[in-house]
Amino acid sequence: MNEPNKTFDATTFVKGLWKENPVFVQVLGMCPTLAVTNSATNGLAMGLATAFVLVMSSMLVSMLRNFIPKQVRIATFILIIATFVTVAEYLIQAISIDIHKALGAFISLIVVNCIILGRAEAFASKNTVGKSIIDAAGMGAGFTFALLCLGVVREILGSGTLFGLQVLGQGFEPWVLMILPGGGFFTLGAWLLLFNYMKERKAAKMQEVVA
Amino acid sequence: MSESLSYIFINACLVNNFVLAYFLGICPFIGVSGNIGTASRMGGAVTFVMLVSSMCAYGIHTLLVAIDAPFLQLISYIVVIASTVQLVEMIIKKFSPALFRALGIFLPLITTNCAILGLALFQTSKGYNFLESLVYALGAGAGFTIALVIMAGIREDLDIADTPKVVRGTAIVLMVAGLLSLTFMGFAGLGG
């Protein structure tokens, strides 16, 4: 954050990162979350691309919020998002052909990521440009964080590496399952379990304090 | 293309099942798999939208190649899908008001089902011709319906099972989906 003294802006940012984390709490945007997180690098790249589209489209939607007729707003949002996704796709292709190949069609599929349309509809179309950008940045950061969590676990267990570097010793037998589709479901399920458990323990503690 | 039509169908339906291998359409997979009836109707609607949008996507791709504007691909696909869904909604409302009421909110939500956009993108990148695209769409739709119905059946039983409180909800659904995905890996190599 550039201005830590503005507490309100800070909470808008942090809520996307933790309390309203789009993946772990709202369970949105499952498809890219599961599909590309077979390595930490892919997860990070996907998270950053999504965050970029999220911030840019939230900004534009918020700027145009008084000009878009209510009846066609969803169609307009989708068009704005699709434009930025195209930009992101060509950017990634320019930066790294390898990542572009690894992510494949899933870059284009950012268009139908419910997080982006959800934020445009629920936040950006009702708030000022500044607030919308901070909200989008928070959500984007939360999404990237979640993708990284999944990617790191799956890469370490599935191939014994992290960001392509060997971390577990030679004797380690990789669990091939973890980089296969099934492993994606298991890992996300396990993370959700952990979050549920933490939430319940917190709730139980609160009750103890009250009693 | 040397792939036979039956190979394309089996490939899209079982071996590379859209939901369990490509992770496309996870949102309705988790959201609408509560009971078997709704799940199968949803599968039918999605299959129909897939068929129509696959035909349109084939036409658009030919046109875009002709005018040399591939960067418009994504934008025009999503517009076509959105209008197809709108069209399907109007048709169902006109001919079968009962089905229209049963599907309710799920109908417009098909627009943001990534399986449909994914199908259009995959058939383009694989270079299928018109007939192959249609069979591919049919297979993907059938695969989606199968996955959804199996999941709904398991969840109906899960509701009466005594599961620990922490795993209830999305967590257990994801675990079950993981097992299903492993099962479907057994189809690898089929139809080749």
Side-chain angles (χ1 to χ4, degrees):
Chain A
M1 291 301 302
N2 296 328
E3 299 156 285
N5 53 332
K6 274 191 178 175
T7 47
F8 176 72
D9 286 353
T11 48
T12 315
F13 181 81
V14 172
K15 81 165 195 266
L17 195 61
W18 190 249
K19 224 168 92 190
E20 289 179 22
N21 186 297
V23 176
F24 292 139
V25 180
Q26 303 183 49
V27 202
L28 289 176
M30 289 291 100
C31 315
T33 310
L34 292 166
V36 299
T37 49
N38 49 13
S39 82
T41 320
N42 287 351
L44 187 65
M46 187 67 191
L48 290 179
T50 310
F52 165 77
V53 176
L54 194 56
V55 170
M56 295 307 275
S57 49
S58 280
M59 187 180 77
L60 200 62
V61 164
S62 174
M63 274 190 211
L64 298 173
R65 70 185 186 283
N66 295 327
F67 300 100
I68 301 173
K70 235 186 146 78
Q71 295 84 354
V72 294
R73 67 182 193 287
I74 300 286
T76 320
F77 294 165
I78 293 248
L79 271 185
I80 291 174
I81 296 168
T83 313
F84 283 115
V85 172
T86 312
V87 172
E89 179 164 9
Y90 280 85
L91 265 179
I92 293 177
Q93 209 167 2
I95 295 169
S96 162
I97 293 281
D98 285 338
I99 291 180
H100 185 262
K101 258 193 208 139
L103 296 182
F106 285 98
I107 306 172
S108 310
L109 286 174
I110 297 178
V111 177
V112 279
N113 190 326
C114 352
I115 299 170
I116 301 177
L117 192 62
R119 278 347 268 177
E121 164 78 6
F123 201 93
S125 62
K126 295 180 192 116
N127 286 287
T128 55
V129 178
K131 261 198 237 171
S132 304
I133 292 179
I134 292 169
D135 174 73
M139 284 291 162
F143 186 67
T144 312
F145 168 70
L147 252 59
L148 208 55
C149 282
L150 280 166
V152 166
V153 171
R154 286 180 72 185
E155 194 180 344
I156 290 181
L157 292 180
S159 35
T161 57
L162 185 60
F163 291 107
L165 300 168
Q166 194 79 30
V167 284
L168 293 177
Q170 290 295 326
F172 176 71
E173 188 70 45
W175 308 358
V176 183
L177 165 72
M178 292 311 274
I179 47 174
L180 293 174
F185 284 116
F186 285 130
T187 318
L188 185 62
W191 275 110
L192 284 178
L193 262 182
L194 191 71
F195 270 68
N196 276 349
Y197 178 68
M198 275 166 28
K199 226 192 294 178
E200 281 206 352
R201 257 187 46 174
K202 209 172 157 192
K205 252 190 203 156
M206 293 282 261
Q207 261 184 350
E208 256 172 47
V209 171
V210 172
Chain B
M1 296 300 292
S2 57
E3 297 173 9
S4 69
L5 291 180
S6 61
Y7 171 77
I8 293 175
F9 182 82
I10 292 174
N11 187 37
C13 177
L14 295 176
V15 181
N16 284 317
N17 186 290
F18 264 52
V19 178
L20 298 169
Y22 285 155
F23 300 114
L24 296 172
I26 299 284
C27 309
F29 180 63
I30 291 173
V32 197
S33 57
N35 78 64
I36 297 183
T38 329
S40 52
R41 279 196 292 273
M42 179 70 181
V46 168
T47 311
F48 182 74
V49 176
M50 272 180 171
L51 271 177
V52 177
S53 53
S54 147
M55 277 189 261
C56 298
Y58 180 77
I60 290 175
H61 180 64
T62 319
L63 187 74
L64 286 183
V65 168
I67 61 169
D68 197 21
F71 49 86
L72 283 177
Q73 183 186 339
L74 188 60
I75 298 180
S76 38
Y77 278 7
I78 194 81
V79 171
V80 164
I81 291 170
S83 13
T84 315
V85 172
Q86 199 87 70
L87 188 74
V88 171
E89 201 177 337
M90 285 194 289
I91 294 175
I92 294 184
K93 200 174 180 181
K94 172 102 179 137
F95 289 104
S96 168
L99 180 61
F100 180 75
R101 271 195 302 275
L103 284 174
I105 181 71
F106 302 130
L107 211 47
L109 278 183
I110 297 177
T111 313
T112 47
N113 184 334
C114 27
I116 292 167
L117 184 63
L119 174 87
L121 293 168
F122 283 141
Q123 79 176 38
T124 311
S125 70
K126 287 186 176 181
Y128 284 155
N129 66 29
F130 186 67
L131 197 60
E132 283 167 340
S133 303
L134 273 188
V135 173
Y136 190 56
L138 209 58
F144 182 78
T145 315
I146 291 174
L148 210 62
V149 170
I150 293 179
M151 193 64 195
I154 296 178
R155 279 183 76 175
E156 279 185 358
D157 276 348
L158 212 59
D159 279 343
I160 46 175
D162 186 24
T163 44
K165 205 172 150 215
V166 241
V167 298
R168 258 175 233 167
T170 322
I172 189 83
V173 176
L174 284 167
M175 295 286 182
V176 172
L179 288 177
L180 266 185
S181 166
L182 282 183
T183 318
F184 267 69
M185 274 173 57
F187 288 118
L190 199 75

